[in-house]
Amino acid sequence: MPKDAYLKHITPAQRRYAMKTIRLHQWPYTIFRSSRTPPGLYARQKWLQEASSPRWKADFDATVSGLFRGQSVDGLWSGSPIETIRRLFGLHLTVRTSNPAIDKSLDALLAIEPAVRWAEETTPVPEGRLCGLPFAPADRQFVILPAALFLATIFGRASDPTVLGRCDRIAADLTAAPLVQQDPAALHNILRAFVVHPDYATHAATGLLAAWLADRQTPQGDWGPGIPFYQALNALAHLDHHTVDRQFERAILHLTHSQHPDGAWGETDRQWCTFLTVHALRNKGLI
């Protein structure tokens, strides 16, 4: 069987257009085959059309069961907001819709009152604890707060008064001081939360963040220190803003030079980097 026979849903014309447009060295889906991770299961279901496969269903059930396992009565996993964010993001990629267990965990995250101002420092979250998550390593405050808003939004709670109130507060804070004086990782995480919110995706504060990223972008297509390339690429792919298309053009140049011979991207955590890239390119209609 041809190595890409599992991509029959992609027409030859679409494949040729994508390869020409972004000069892919290889078709990038191979890394997801047989994967049981949440990104891998998402790719197999949505992109490789395996949802009706008994093997995919068995892998899905096993992974989802593991994601739910061990939740405490307070809604958290292991008493840790970061671990809870990881579980909820995995459930977003798999079960997709909320249920009582997910709602309880969202309640627990939203109950963490944000008390730290922009100029203060708290405990930084190590990069290794954020593997497989769409957030940049930042002070704990600026991982948990944007992640809680992001997750609440994607699980159908965008209109929750707590969510709206915290988005409003953040938007006001963003205009209080020049963005260049703020932590880039924290700003990236706020952007990540805003781009999925139906009101804040088009908010002036989100436009400020997109323009700030455009000013940071290097000739090589990345966004400099503190901004993880693949996470930022994926966040921008959710936006329809006049600064985004030019950023994408430069980022695609970076992608064409950094794709591995097997079609994947990333020096470490390659499946996750590839997932973020493919998801972004598909959002923009490039593959």
Side-chain angles (χ1 to χ4, degrees), residues 127-195:
E127 183 175 1
R129 295 200 64 196
L130 298 177
C131 289
L133 292 173
F135 307 106
D139 285 343
R140 188 172 183 270
Q141 165 76 11
F142 295 109
V143 174
I144 295 174
L145 172 59
L149 298 175
F150 170 90
L151 290 164
T153 297
I154 60 180
F155 278 117
R157 294 172 63 166
S159 298
D160 184 302
T162 299
V163 172
L164 291 174
R166 290 181 183 172
C167 287
D168 287 343
R169 172 182 165 182
I170 292 169
D173 285 347
L174 287 174
T175 62
L179 296 186
V180 294
Q181 297 178 10
Q182 313 300 346
D183 174 28
L187 293 176
H188 167 274
N189 293 345
I190 295 299
L191 176 67
R192 178 76 259 189
F194 278 9
V195 298

Side-chain angles (χ1 to χ4, degrees), residues 64-265:
V64 169
S65 176
L67 288 169
F68 278 117
R69 188 178 302 122
Q71 186 181 23
S72 301
V73 294
D74 63 1
L76 299 177
W77 278 268
S78 303
S80 166
I82 301 300
E83 179 59 23
T84 300
I85 290 164
R86 177 181 306 284
R87 298 293 186 106
L88 285 174
F89 187 70
L91 292 168
H92 160 61
L93 294 179
T94 50
V95 300
R96 307 292 289 165
T97 56
S98 192
N99 62 24
I102 290 172
D103 282 336
K104 190 172 186 177
S105 62
L106 290 172
D107 289 340
L109 289 178
L110 292 172
I112 300 172
E113 182 66 29
V116 179
R117 306 302 295 177
W118 288 92
E120 298 178 9
E121 292 187 0
T122 61
T123 304
V125 177
E127 183 175 1
R129 295 200 64 196
L130 298 177
C131 289
L133 292 173
F135 307 106
D139 285 343
R140 188 172 183 270
Q141 165 76 11
F142 295 109
V143 174
I144 295 174
L145 172 59
L149 298 175
F150 170 90
L151 290 164
T153 297
I154 60 180
F155 278 117
R157 294 172 63 166
S159 298
D160 184 302
T162 299
V163 172
L164 291 174
R166 290 181 183 172
C167 287
D168 287 343
R169 172 182 165 182
I170 292 169
D173 285 347
L174 287 174
T175 62
L179 296 186
V180 294
Q181 297 178 10
Q182 313 300 346
D183 174 28
L187 293 176
H188 167 274
N189 293 345
I190 295 299
L191 176 67
R192 178 76 259 189
F194 278 9
V195 298
V196 298
H197 195 283
D199 297 332
Y200 275 86
T202 56
H203 194 280
T206 308
L208 285 175
L209 290 169
W212 164 77
L213 264 187
D215 289 341
R216 282 184 57 94
Q217 194 173 29
T218 72
Q220 291 73 39
D222 61 44
W223 289 275
I227 304 293
F229 174 78
Y230 300 101
Q231 283 86 339
L233 177 79
N234 191 272
L236 287 173
H238 289 76
L239 282 181
D240 182 15
H241 189 268
H242 69 274
T243 66
V244 169
D245 287 346
R246 178 58 178 157
Q247 292 184 68
F248 239 76
E249 289 175 9
R250 289 180 176 177
I252 284 172
L253 291 176
H254 182 89
L255 290 174
T256 60
H257 289 98
S258 59
Q259 190 183 25
H260 295 291
D262 64 356
W265 282 277

